[in-house]
Amino acid sequence: MALLYDLAWRVLHVVVQLQRAALSWYQARAWKRTWLLWRRAAAAVLLPLALGAAAGGKRPSRRSRVLTDGKALDKLPLHVGLLVAEEELQYTDIANVVVWCMALGISYVSVYDHQGVFRRNNSRLMEEIVKQQKELLGSESCKYTTEFLNNGTDAQEQVSWCQSVVKILSPDDGKLSIVRAAQQLCKAVEQKESTPKDISVTALDTLLRESNTLPDPELVLKFGPVESTLGFLPWHIRLTEFISLPSHKDVSYDDFLCALRRYASCEQRLGK
């Protein structure tokens, strides 16, 4: 009798093991089938999108993000100055920042280095700006025309309806311009065209603003470790907000946007 019980127990154990094996096999088949169904469903959704992109379907333009970012900012500066306080200058990186300003709708951009390298090579910088404008904005670059001002005469390098004005500055536009304006006032007195009483801060301010056709910069992005304005338009930065960035080399759009957000959030008390 005990032998029969043992035999029955063994048979029952084999049946249970076979049932478990069959269940595991079925589950594996079901999981594989489900996985195949998911893959087919994903392919049905994603493949048309991929083919549409390959066939020239519309994708968000590079400028679309800039437009969104610009609308999200509480305020934009009318005039942005780019002050490069570094020895080695990168034309492409500065050109990128100029183009980003243009795409955001900033009307005036001035570029300055304390050695006047950009001024001496202004044609090279202007060419790089036009090049980066085409690369970064693509087919939409034609919507953004730029007026380059020749320093000294302010004659237009490129005459066209424009949305942005770019001017390249050097130390000659800073302290030396103040000296020249003071000399002009003194010469007028010497020639009896005016009197010493006519010499005032207001008269000097008028002469300096006649020589500088751009509005005062509302924001200056200073690139480099030097904690100095390095002679950047000393007469015109009384109310200017300065934001420092480590370097203009390899500066990213996110770095640029972060600086604009800081400017948009700052409260200018105007001496109050």
Side-chain angles (χ1 to χ4, degrees):
M1 193 70 177
L3 184 61
L4 290 176
Y5 277 123
D6 183 65
L7 182 60
W9 176 255
R10 291 180 181 275
V11 170
L12 181 61
H13 181 72
V14 170
V15 170
V16 170
Q17 293 297 325
L18 289 174
Q19 184 180 17
R20 287 180 179 177
L23 182 61
S24 298
W25 177 83
Y26 178 78
Q27 287 177 339
R29 287 288 302 272
W31 181 86
K32 185 177 181 180
R33 181 176 179 81
T34 303
W35 172 246
L36 289 174
L37 289 175
W38 273 107
R39 287 183 59 183
R40 290 172 183 173
V45 173
L46 297 178
L47 185 58
L49 295 178
L51 292 176
K58 288 187 177 180
R59 296 185 302 173
S61 65
R62 292 185 178 183
R63 181 175 169 257
S64 61
R65 180 190 172 188
V66 180
L67 280 176
T68 304
D69 293 336
K71 292 177 181 178
L73 294 172
D74 294 333
K75 61 180 178 179
L76 274 176
L78 179 66
H79 176 189
V80 171
L82 307 178
L83 193 169
V84 182
E86 298 177 271
E87 296 297 326
E88 186 176 350
L89 304 181
Q90 303 294 329
Y91 288 80
T92 300
D93 293 315
I94 284 296
N96 285 338
V97 180
V98 172
V99 174
W100 295 333
C101 289
M102 293 166 54
L104 277 174
I106 295 171
S107 300
Y108 300 92
V109 183
S110 55
V111 181
Y112 176 90
D113 72 280
H114 68 287
Q115 294 181 341
V117 176
F118 283 137
R119 165 74 72 82
R120 292 193 296 271
N121 300 277
N122 60 345
S123 297
R124 176 182 174 186
L125 180 58
M126 291 173 185
E127 290 174 0
E128 192 65 35
I129 291 172
V130 173
K131 176 183 175 183
Q132 293 306 312
Q133 182 181 358
K134 293 178 180 178
E135 287 189 10
L136 295 175
L137 300 178
S139 60
E140 296 182 348
S141 63
C142 60
K143 299 179 182 179
Y144 298 88
T145 53
T146 308
E147 178 183 333
F148 297 110
L149 296 183
N150 265 333
N151 298 277
T153 61
D154 284 340
Q156 295 178 358
E157 282 281 339
Q158 177 178 331
V159 182
S160 61
W161 177 83
C162 66
Q163 293 178 325
S164 297
V165 175
V166 178
K167 188 170 184 178
I168 304 174
L169 304 173
S170 74
D172 290 345
D173 301 292
K175 294 180 180 179
L176 287 179
S177 66
I178 298 176
V179 171
R180 286 193 295 265
Q183 289 173 342
Q184 189 175 343
L185 290 175
C186 294
K187 187 176 181 180
V189 172
E190 182 183 3
Q191 295 176 351
K192 297 184 179 181
E193 296 175 358
S194 61
T195 66
K197 293 182 180 180
D198 295 327
I199 298 178
S200 63
V201 173
T202 303
L204 182 61
D205 182 71
T206 301
L207 283 177
L208 288 171
R209 295 192 182 283
E210 287 177 354
S211 63
N212 182 39
T213 57
L214 304 186
D216 291 351
E218 296 173 341
L219 170 65
V220 170
L221 300 179
K222 184 186 71 66
F223 301 96
V226 180
E227 295 299 329
S228 171
T229 62
L230 298 174
F232 177 84
L233 298 180
W235 191 265
H236 304 84
I237 57 175
R238 180 173 59 92
L239 302 175
T240 301
E241 185 75 20
F242 278 78
I243 294 179
S244 296
L245 295 172
S247 175
H248 73 295
K249 184 177 181 181
D250 297 327
V251 62
S252 68
Y253 173 74
D254 289 330
D255 296 331
F256 168 74
L257 182 61
C258 181
L260 287 183
R261 285 173 176 162
R262 286 177 56 189
Y263 168 78
S265 63
C266 73
E267 181 182 355
Q268 292 180 301
R269 298 182 179 273
L270 304 179
K272 297 179 182 180

